[in-house]
Amino acid sequence: MSDTDTQQLPKDIAAAKGLVNVQIDGHWIQVPRGTRMIEACKLAEKEVPHYCYHPKLSSPGNCRMCLVQMGMPPRPAPGQDPVYDADGYQAIGWMPRPVIACSNTVGENMGIRTQGELVQKCREGVMEFLLINHPLDCPICDQAGECRLQEFSVEHGKGESRFKEDKVKKPKNVKIGPRIRLDDERCIMCSRCIRFMDEVADEPVLGFTERGTHTTVGVFPGRELTNNYGLNTVDLCPVGALTSNDFRFQMRTWFLKETDSIDTNCGTGANTTIWTRGNKIFRVTPRQNDDVNSCWMPDSHRLNYVCPTDDDRLTAPLIKVDNVHEETCWENALEAAADALKQFTPGEIAIIASGRQTNEELFMMRALAAELGIESLAIVAREEASDDMLISADRNPNTTGAKLILQDSEVAATLATFREGVYSGDIKAVFVASEDLLSEAGFSADDLEALELLISIHTSANATAQASDIVLPGAGSAEKRGSMVNVAGRLQKLNAACLPPADARSDWEIIRDLVLALSGESAEQAPQTIDALFQIIATSIPEFDGKSLASLGDLGETITETGVTIPLLERENQRKARGEIVG
Amino acid sequence: MDHATLIFLISTAVKIIVFTFVLTLPIIAYSTYAERRVSSIIQDRVGPNRVGIPLTLFGGKKDIPFCGLLQPLADGLKGLLKEDLVPGHVRKFFFWIAPALAAAPAFLALCVIPFGSSISLFGEDIKLVIADIDAGPLFVFAIASLSVYGITIAGWASNNKYSFLGGVRSCAQMISYEIALGLSVIPVLMVFGQLNLSDIVQAQADGGWTLLPLWNEHGSVLDAAYWANSGEQWLLLIPLTISFVIFTTSIFAETNRMPFDLPECETELVGGYHTEYSSMKFALFFLGEYAAMIVGSAVIVTLFLGGWSAGFGLDSAISNIAWGSFKPGGLIHLAIFLAKVIAFVIFFIWVRWTVPRFRYDQLMKLGWVVFFELALVNIFITAGIIMLLN
Amino acid sequence: MAIIKIKRPQLTLADKLYLPAVIKGLWITLGHAIRSMRGKTHGAAQFNSSGLGVTMQYPETKWDDQLPDYYRGVPALVTDEQERERCVSCQLCEFICPPKAITIIPDEIESDDPWAKVEKRPKEFEIDMTRCIYCGMCEEVCPEQAIYLRQDYAMTGLSRAEMVNDKERLYEIGGVRTGLVNKWNELK
């Protein structure tokens, strides 16, 4: 090249930005120095099939599925200058043997081929080996439909088996923990589960035994996989070797509808996918969000959800007549609630909201308080020890949101005042939403008995609902759209995966209609959709300014700084900084 | 009120009831059955052969099928019991009145048809025609063309483009063929020189059927006197045959029968004008169509095929049969007339299951370019022949 | 470009008159009618016709013995020589079923069952015969040779619920089918 002096070479341009030039399937791209080849291919939108590699785990390179062809420019002989072509790149000398893409990093002027005869032959060979001992039980295997082995054997496999010998028999249906079953015959030895338990859950109980074709994954003798993050290994497993007892043989995955939502069991608000068929929830799995929950989720949270088909769900508004609850219609119930509340002076009424309510519901609770002339609302605090992983000390999913919406940084403190008021008889009426007053709230059955009026919104028939004069059936967290703010100040969205059972309704609509019944205004003056309600919140609460429910992404946005961090993410970032994982 | 008026009133009432409800309605019902059976034997099928007396309903071992002869009853019952759907988008009043308008004219036209000669009862001569008026054919045309209102209104009131197109087609078709119909009958009226249908039939009984001049007042084909005096008849047969063909075809078009059933052409118009109709309202359209077909057959039989006449000079003998003062000859004539009508109805059915539907432009061309001119020329030919012979 | 000009056929006077064609047509239909009435319709014997036309008089005469092997009647579940229910409730038939007639609730086989290694079987298997369109997709998609369309075609019931075939009834209709691939043998 004649004008090398005046024009910079691509390598120098890239180096100035800390990047290197890589040719992937004939196209040159620039990627950061130190990137794994598999990630570079992902940036170039070329898929490299893989089993053992996971960006959040270390890369042992034991599945060999990610083999690609690699090449570097030949090293110049002493005294010889590198030769550059018209575009300023050196010619690539392709290596005759493939390399694994998951644990090699890219270099300047490197070439990668993710297609071609060599790569194709390699993949066929690896697939054939992986399938040698793999049983042909896809019709009964729960992984079918989301199985990487199925997908890649269709894409890269030979299509037929040459294996005439007997397959190796291994333990099947092994109970390795209270929530997990292991089928060793299906295992392809990717070791993702072993690495997860070791590196992320920090409780190494899984390991390989035996050698060669007899290699078997199993729990250490005398141990069980009881860790609260154990079910993440089921999500990680690329085949059907690890299955969750909860979801095992319940439904084939292709029938399930995926809805992106968030976990409402604690303040972290782990991002989830809710898998439903019809109006039944079949499982909840974590969804990757590197600012909230990485790729993980605690077992206790994923197994704890309210389903519309649960037996104890409230399905119609109830009014207590002669100590017996009678079903009624919404018009009657709201009319009765409004009339009953009008009998009391503002000082005699307590409104107890909940940190489990969405921002929209809390905003409507505030509107209800304003309509009744009450100054402050209380929420029930749920402080427990954090597990130093993903479970936050604050077990309310939306305490931060409640503080913002109610514009009161000490929302939980008011509850004690209310409790005393009820005790002393100053407070005669209580309106409570989504809280069981007899558990964390600290009320006793006698307190509730002493009340002249108790109106509650609940999803299921709990003790407070039993004691209430009017019960309004609300929607569970999987049945409503709305937003919450997690402990770290991140605004996240809930989406409705199913419909509330029978006559139950979204809580914000119930409270809106109650406010309308109290004020006597026409329905047109209230927000008709939750989007419209969010719009009102956005104009009245500064932190929500400029946001809308529709434009809020599935990963959420940080709207306030709380200074709270999530321990598991901190550790993950450290490992990433140390170069142990890709992240 | 004198004796004669009373007898007239009673006999008219009896005739109305007998001719309309005892004779025509069952014939309509059974022509639907005949349509289905004839079409099926033409198409190598069986047709309705099951509906008889449902003995099994009352604990019997076997039903009596009667070759399905009770099928029309079952159909009628079904029509009455079915849910009557009135779509929300229709114009209610006209939607309701249209089926009646479609069915009623056909029955009205029955009143000038001579069903038989006459019967003598208690010394009174009763003509077997409801209204023996001197403008028979004109009355039939005037009333029969009213039925187009039913169809057009049905199409329009349904507020549905297919129904509307059906109604419009029906209207255009009716106007086009009305002309050919009217013009083609003129030669017949010229030959007979009058408009009273009873007298026209009587003339045919005496002087040979319009299309079968095998006898006249001089005797039948066996007599030499007939041959000496039948030249006029044979010469007139040419224009009268043309008249017959045009008239019959136009009746097909007037009654919306295949091959001229474009108003309800399923392949183009879903169901045509009655797309939105169900249960008994639909059944009324159906009834109207068959009633029109029977009236059409009756008119053709009356004008061209000798009406109630048995022919061959037998009619006076039949008329003279007497049991005391009761002369039942009219009843025999009635049977002959009905037999002819039924035969012609079967011809209608036969044509329907043979000839495919016309294209709409072909239909219009046939009406305006062929039949109209032909009928017009035919009048002059007839007039010429009559002038020549006189 | 290839534009082919087609000459319209030249019509003779008889064609233009249309009447000869009508009369010919009437003659043909009359021929059919007469043959029909005489019980001599072409093919009447072949179809076991009662004599009028070629129509078979259904409940009295049936064609069961002439049904072809590929006849698609009522779908049913089968068991094999070892009396094992072949269905493993993979739910592929439920998935493929165009009118969504099939509903399956899967179940795990208890560990003390001789066929415990199959692991899965249907707890409930219902085919709604008011929905079934007899397309045979379920039979085609079944990886276990467990569902077959039988030769029965007269499914009747007095209520909708009666028209839903449950698991027990499906096995009753299906019966035992021999000679199928035994994929759950010792070696698997």
Side-chain angles (χ1 to χ4, degrees), chain B residues 186-224:
Chain B
I186 287 176
V188 182
L189 304 180
M190 283 162 80
V191 169
F192 291 111
Q194 58 177 322
L195 285 166
N196 185 313
L197 287 172
S198 304
D199 294 346
I200 289 176
V201 175
Q202 190 59 54
Q204 289 185 67
D206 299 337
W209 298 357
T210 318
L211 284 185
L212 204 69
L214 295 184
W215 63 91
N216 55 23
E217 53 269 32
H218 304 288
S220 72
V221 274
L222 301 174
D223 304 318

Short mmCIF file of all heavy atoms in Angstrom, two decimals, chain B residues 186-224:
data_model
loop_
_atom_site.label_atom_id
_atom_site.label_comp_id
_atom_site.label_asym_id
_atom_site.label_seq_id
_atom_site.Cartn_x
_atom_site.Cartn_y
_atom_site.Cartn_z
N ILE B 186 -101.70 -12.62 -27.54
CA ILE B 186 -102.65 -11.91 -28.40
C ILE B 186 -103.15 -12.77 -29.57
O ILE B 186 -104.36 -12.82 -29.84
CB ILE B 186 -102.05 -10.56 -28.87
CG1 ILE B 186 -102.05 -9.60 -27.67
CG2 ILE B 186 -102.83 -9.95 -30.02
CD1 ILE B 186 -101.42 -8.28 -27.92
N PRO B 187 -102.25 -13.50 -30.27
CA PRO B 187 -102.75 -14.35 -31.35
C PRO B 187 -103.83 -15.31 -30.89
O PRO B 187 -104.83 -15.51 -31.59
CB PRO B 187 -101.50 -15.11 -31.80
CG PRO B 187 -100.38 -14.21 -31.47
CD PRO B 187 -100.79 -13.50 -30.24
N VAL B 188 -103.68 -15.87 -29.69
CA VAL B 188 -104.69 -16.79 -29.16
C VAL B 188 -106.01 -16.06 -29.00
O VAL B 188 -107.08 -16.55 -29.41
CB VAL B 188 -104.22 -17.37 -27.80
CG1 VAL B 188 -105.24 -18.36 -27.28
CG2 VAL B 188 -102.86 -18.01 -27.95
N LEU B 189 -105.92 -14.87 -28.40
CA LEU B 189 -107.13 -14.11 -28.16
C LEU B 189 -107.78 -13.70 -29.50
O LEU B 189 -109.00 -13.63 -29.62
CB LEU B 189 -106.84 -12.89 -27.31
CG LEU B 189 -106.16 -13.22 -25.97
CD1 LEU B 189 -105.90 -11.95 -25.17
CD2 LEU B 189 -107.02 -14.18 -25.16
N MET B 190 -106.92 -13.42 -30.49
CA MET B 190 -107.44 -13.08 -31.81
C MET B 190 -108.20 -14.24 -32.40
O MET B 190 -109.28 -14.08 -32.98
CB MET B 190 -106.30 -12.67 -32.75
CG MET B 190 -105.77 -11.28 -32.49
SD MET B 190 -104.15 -11.08 -33.24
CE MET B 190 -104.64 -10.79 -34.92
N VAL B 191 -107.66 -15.43 -32.23
CA VAL B 191 -108.30 -16.61 -32.79
C VAL B 191 -109.64 -16.86 -32.13
O VAL B 191 -110.65 -17.12 -32.78
CB VAL B 191 -107.39 -17.84 -32.66
CG1 VAL B 191 -108.14 -19.12 -32.99
CG2 VAL B 191 -106.18 -17.69 -33.55
N PHE B 192 -109.66 -16.75 -30.79
CA PHE B 192 -110.91 -17.01 -30.08
C PHE B 192 -111.82 -15.81 -30.05
O PHE B 192 -113.01 -15.94 -29.81
CB PHE B 192 -110.63 -17.48 -28.64
CG PHE B 192 -110.00 -18.84 -28.60
CD1 PHE B 192 -108.70 -19.02 -28.21
CD2 PHE B 192 -110.74 -19.94 -29.00
CE1 PHE B 192 -108.12 -20.26 -28.19
CE2 PHE B 192 -110.15 -21.20 -28.98
CZ PHE B 192 -108.86 -21.36 -28.58
N GLY B 193 -111.25 -14.64 -30.22
CA GLY B 193 -112.07 -13.45 -30.32
C GLY B 193 -112.71 -13.03 -29.01
O GLY B 193 -113.69 -12.29 -29.00
N GLN B 194 -112.20 -13.49 -27.89
CA GLN B 194 -112.77 -13.04 -26.61
C GLN B 194 -111.78 -13.25 -25.47
O GLN B 194 -110.73 -13.86 -25.64
CB GLN B 194 -114.05 -13.81 -26.33
CG GLN B 194 -113.82 -15.30 -26.30
CD GLN B 194 -115.08 -16.01 -25.94
OE1 GLN B 194 -115.82 -15.52 -25.10
NE2 GLN B 194 -115.34 -17.13 -26.57
N LEU B 195 -112.16 -12.72 -24.30
CA LEU B 195 -111.24 -12.73 -23.17
C LEU B 195 -111.76 -13.53 -21.99
O LEU B 195 -111.16 -13.54 -20.94
CB LEU B 195 -110.95 -11.30 -22.71
CG LEU B 195 -110.01 -10.48 -23.60
CD1 LEU B 195 -110.08 -9.02 -23.23
CD2 LEU B 195 -108.60 -10.99 -23.46
N ASN B 196 -112.91 -14.15 -22.18
CA ASN B 196 -113.46 -14.93 -21.08
C ASN B 196 -112.87 -16.35 -21.13
O ASN B 196 -113.06 -17.09 -22.09
CB ASN B 196 -114.98 -15.01 -21.22
CG ASN B 196 -115.60 -15.71 -20.03
OD1 ASN B 196 -115.13 -16.76 -19.62
ND2 ASN B 196 -116.65 -15.12 -19.49
N LEU B 197 -112.14 -16.70 -20.07
CA LEU B 197 -111.41 -17.95 -20.11
C LEU B 197 -112.34 -19.16 -20.17
O LEU B 197 -112.05 -20.14 -20.86
CB LEU B 197 -110.49 -18.07 -18.89
CG LEU B 197 -109.26 -17.16 -18.93
CD1 LEU B 197 -108.53 -17.19 -17.61
CD2 LEU B 197 -108.31 -17.58 -20.04
N SER B 198 -113.50 -19.10 -19.51
CA SER B 198 -114.44 -20.22 -19.56
C SER B 198 -114.90 -20.45 -20.99
O SER B 198 -114.94 -21.59 -21.47
CB SER B 198 -115.66 -19.93 -18.69
OG SER B 198 -115.27 -19.64 -17.39
N ASP B 199 -115.19 -19.34 -21.66
CA ASP B 199 -115.65 -19.47 -23.03
C ASP B 199 -114.54 -19.94 -23.95
O ASP B 199 -114.77 -20.68 -24.91
CB ASP B 199 -116.22 -18.13 -23.52
CG ASP B 199 -117.49 -17.78 -22.73
OD1 ASP B 199 -118.01 -18.69 -22.04
OD2 ASP B 199 -117.91 -16.61 -22.78
N ILE B 200 -113.31 -19.51 -23.67
CA ILE B 200 -112.18 -19.96 -24.49
C ILE B 200 -112.03 -21.47 -24.37
O ILE B 200 -111.89 -22.18 -25.37
CB ILE B 200 -110.88 -19.25 -24.05
CG1 ILE B 200 -110.92 -17.78 -24.48
CG2 ILE B 200 -109.65 -19.94 -24.64
CD1 ILE B 200 -109.74 -16.97 -24.04
N VAL B 201 -112.18 -21.97 -23.16
CA VAL B 201 -112.07 -23.41 -22.96
C VAL B 201 -113.22 -24.13 -23.65
O VAL B 201 -113.04 -25.15 -24.31
CB VAL B 201 -112.02 -23.75 -21.45
CG1 VAL B 201 -112.02 -25.26 -21.25
CG2 VAL B 201 -110.79 -23.15 -20.81
N GLN B 202 -114.41 -23.56 -23.48
CA GLN B 202 -115.57 -24.17 -24.12
C GLN B 202 -115.36 -24.23 -25.64
O GLN B 202 -115.64 -25.24 -26.27
CB GLN B 202 -116.83 -23.34 -23.80
CG GLN B 202 -118.12 -23.99 -24.22
CD GLN B 202 -118.32 -25.35 -23.55
OE1 GLN B 202 -118.27 -25.48 -22.34
NE2 GLN B 202 -118.54 -26.39 -24.35
N ALA B 203 -114.79 -23.16 -26.21
CA ALA B 203 -114.53 -23.12 -27.64
C ALA B 203 -113.54 -24.22 -28.03
O ALA B 203 -113.68 -24.85 -29.08
CB ALA B 203 -113.98 -21.75 -28.02
N GLN B 204 -112.55 -24.44 -27.15
CA GLN B 204 -111.57 -25.50 -27.44
C GLN B 204 -112.21 -26.87 -27.35
O GLN B 204 -111.88 -27.78 -28.13
CB GLN B 204 -110.39 -25.41 -26.47
CG GLN B 204 -109.50 -24.21 -26.72
CD GLN B 204 -108.29 -24.25 -25.82
OE1 GLN B 204 -107.44 -25.11 -25.96
NE2 GLN B 204 -108.21 -23.29 -24.91
N ALA B 205 -113.10 -27.01 -26.39
CA ALA B 205 -113.79 -28.30 -26.25
C ALA B 205 -114.60 -28.61 -27.49
O ALA B 205 -114.64 -29.75 -27.96
CB ALA B 205 -114.68 -28.28 -25.01
N ASP B 206 -115.18 -27.57 -28.05
CA ASP B 206 -116.01 -27.78 -29.24
C ASP B 206 -115.17 -27.84 -30.51
O ASP B 206 -115.40 -28.70 -31.36
CB ASP B 206 -117.03 -26.63 -29.38
CG ASP B 206 -117.96 -26.60 -28.18
OD1 ASP B 206 -118.10 -27.66 -27.53
OD2 ASP B 206 -118.49 -25.52 -27.87
N GLY B 207 -114.21 -26.95 -30.63
CA GLY B 207 -113.52 -26.81 -31.92
C GLY B 207 -112.08 -27.23 -31.90
O GLY B 207 -111.30 -26.80 -32.74
N GLY B 208 -111.67 -28.07 -30.96
CA GLY B 208 -110.29 -28.55 -30.95
C GLY B 208 -109.39 -27.67 -30.11
O GLY B 208 -109.56 -26.46 -30.05
N TRP B 209 -108.43 -28.32 -29.41
CA TRP B 209 -107.51 -27.56 -28.58
C TRP B 209 -106.64 -26.66 -29.44
O TRP B 209 -106.39 -26.97 -30.60
CB TRP B 209 -106.59 -28.50 -27.78
CG TRP B 209 -107.32 -29.39 -26.82
CD1 TRP B 209 -108.66 -29.40 -26.57
CD2 TRP B 209 -106.75 -30.40 -26.03
NE1 TRP B 209 -108.98 -30.34 -25.66
CE2 TRP B 209 -107.80 -31.00 -25.29
CE3 TRP B 209 -105.45 -30.87 -25.84
CZ2 TRP B 209 -107.58 -32.02 -24.41
CZ3 TRP B 209 -105.25 -31.89 -24.96
CH2 TRP B 209 -106.31 -32.46 -24.23
N THR B 210 -106.18 -25.61 -28.84
CA THR B 210 -105.37 -24.65 -29.59
C THR B 210 -104.19 -25.34 -30.25
O THR B 210 -103.86 -25.09 -31.39
CB THR B 210 -104.87 -23.54 -28.65
OG1 THR B 210 -105.94 -23.17 -27.78
CG2 THR B 210 -104.38 -22.34 -29.42
N LEU B 211 -103.55 -26.23 -29.50
CA LEU B 211 -102.36 -26.88 -30.04
C LEU B 211 -102.68 -28.28 -30.58
O LEU B 211 -101.78 -28.97 -31.02
CB LEU B 211 -101.29 -27.01 -28.96
CG LEU B 211 -100.52 -25.74 -28.62
CD1 LEU B 211 -99.42 -26.06 -27.64
CD2 LEU B 211 -99.96 -25.09 -29.87
N LEU B 212 -103.93 -28.70 -30.50
CA LEU B 212 -104.26 -30.05 -30.92
C LEU B 212 -105.60 -30.02 -31.68
O LEU B 212 -106.61 -30.48 -31.17
CB LEU B 212 -104.35 -30.95 -29.68
CG LEU B 212 -104.13 -32.45 -29.92
CD1 LEU B 212 -102.68 -32.73 -30.28
CD2 LEU B 212 -104.52 -33.21 -28.67
N PRO B 213 -105.57 -29.46 -32.87
CA PRO B 213 -106.86 -29.27 -33.58
C PRO B 213 -107.30 -30.55 -34.25
O PRO B 213 -107.43 -30.60 -35.48
CB PRO B 213 -106.51 -28.17 -34.58
CG PRO B 213 -105.06 -28.35 -34.86
CD PRO B 213 -104.44 -28.98 -33.66
N LEU B 214 -107.53 -31.58 -33.47
CA LEU B 214 -107.85 -32.88 -34.06
C LEU B 214 -109.35 -33.10 -34.20
O LEU B 214 -109.79 -34.17 -34.55
CB LEU B 214 -107.22 -34.00 -33.23
CG LEU B 214 -105.69 -34.01 -33.22
CD1 LEU B 214 -105.17 -35.21 -32.46
CD2 LEU B 214 -105.13 -33.99 -34.64
N TRP B 215 -110.12 -32.13 -33.83
CA TRP B 215 -111.58 -32.23 -34.03
C TRP B 215 -112.16 -30.83 -34.13
O TRP B 215 -111.51 -29.85 -33.75
CB TRP B 215 -112.21 -33.01 -32.88
CG TRP B 215 -112.05 -32.31 -31.55
CD1 TRP B 215 -112.88 -31.44 -30.98
CD2 TRP B 215 -110.93 -32.45 -30.69
NE1 TRP B 215 -112.38 -30.99 -29.81
CE2 TRP B 215 -111.17 -31.61 -29.59
CE3 TRP B 215 -109.74 -33.21 -30.75
CZ2 TRP B 215 -110.26 -31.48 -28.56
CZ3 TRP B 215 -108.88 -33.09 -29.71
CH2 TRP B 215 -109.13 -32.23 -28.61
N ASN B 216 -113.29 -30.76 -34.67
CA ASN B 216 -114.03 -29.50 -34.68
C ASN B 216 -115.52 -29.82 -34.70
O ASN B 216 -115.91 -30.98 -34.55
CB ASN B 216 -113.60 -28.62 -35.85
CG ASN B 216 -113.72 -29.33 -37.18
OD1 ASN B 216 -114.49 -30.29 -37.29
ND2 ASN B 216 -112.96 -28.88 -38.17
N GLU B 217 -116.31 -28.83 -34.88
CA GLU B 217 -117.76 -29.05 -34.80
C GLU B 217 -118.26 -30.01 -35.88
O GLU B 217 -119.33 -30.57 -35.78
CB GLU B 217 -118.53 -27.73 -34.86
CG GLU B 217 -118.19 -26.85 -36.03
CD GLU B 217 -117.06 -25.87 -35.71
OE1 GLU B 217 -116.16 -26.22 -34.87
OE2 GLU B 217 -117.05 -24.79 -36.26
N HIS B 218 -117.39 -30.26 -36.86
CA HIS B 218 -117.78 -31.18 -37.94
C HIS B 218 -117.38 -32.61 -37.63
O HIS B 218 -117.60 -33.50 -38.42
CB HIS B 218 -117.15 -30.75 -39.27
CG HIS B 218 -117.51 -29.34 -39.62
ND1 HIS B 218 -118.76 -28.96 -40.04
CD2 HIS B 218 -116.77 -28.21 -39.57
CE1 HIS B 218 -118.78 -27.66 -40.25
NE2 HIS B 218 -117.59 -27.17 -39.96
N GLY B 219 -116.74 -32.85 -36.57
CA GLY B 219 -116.32 -34.22 -36.22
C GLY B 219 -114.84 -34.28 -35.95
O GLY B 219 -114.15 -33.24 -35.96
N SER B 220 -114.36 -35.49 -35.70
CA SER B 220 -112.94 -35.62 -35.37
C SER B 220 -112.18 -36.13 -36.58
O SER B 220 -112.71 -36.24 -37.67
CB SER B 220 -112.78 -36.58 -34.20
OG SER B 220 -113.02 -37.89 -34.62
N VAL B 221 -110.90 -36.44 -36.37
CA VAL B 221 -110.03 -36.85 -37.47
C VAL B 221 -110.58 -38.04 -38.24
O VAL B 221 -110.20 -38.28 -39.37
CB VAL B 221 -108.62 -37.19 -36.96
CG1 VAL B 221 -107.79 -35.95 -36.89
CG2 VAL B 221 -108.68 -37.91 -35.63
N LEU B 222 -111.44 -38.81 -37.61
CA LEU B 222 -111.95 -40.00 -38.27
C LEU B 222 -113.01 -39.65 -39.32
O LEU B 222 -113.30 -40.45 -40.21
CB LEU B 222 -112.56 -40.95 -37.23
CG LEU B 222 -111.56 -41.40 -36.15
CD1 LEU B 222 -112.28 -42.21 -35.08
CD2 LEU B 222 -110.44 -42.22 -36.78
N ASP B 223 -113.56 -38.45 -39.19
CA ASP B 223 -114.63 -38.07 -40.11
C ASP B 223 -114.09 -37.28 -41.30
O ASP B 223 -113.20 -36.44 -41.13
CB ASP B 223 -115.67 -37.21 -39.38
CG ASP B 223 -116.21 -37.94 -38.17
OD1 ASP B 223 -116.48 -39.15 -38.28
OD2 ASP B 223 -116.27 -37.32 -37.08
N ALA B 224 -114.67 -37.57 -42.47
CA ALA B 224 -114.24 -36.85 -43.67
C ALA B 224 -114.64 -35.38 -43.56
O ALA B 224 -113.92 -34.50 -44.04
CB ALA B 224 -114.88 -37.47 -44.91
#
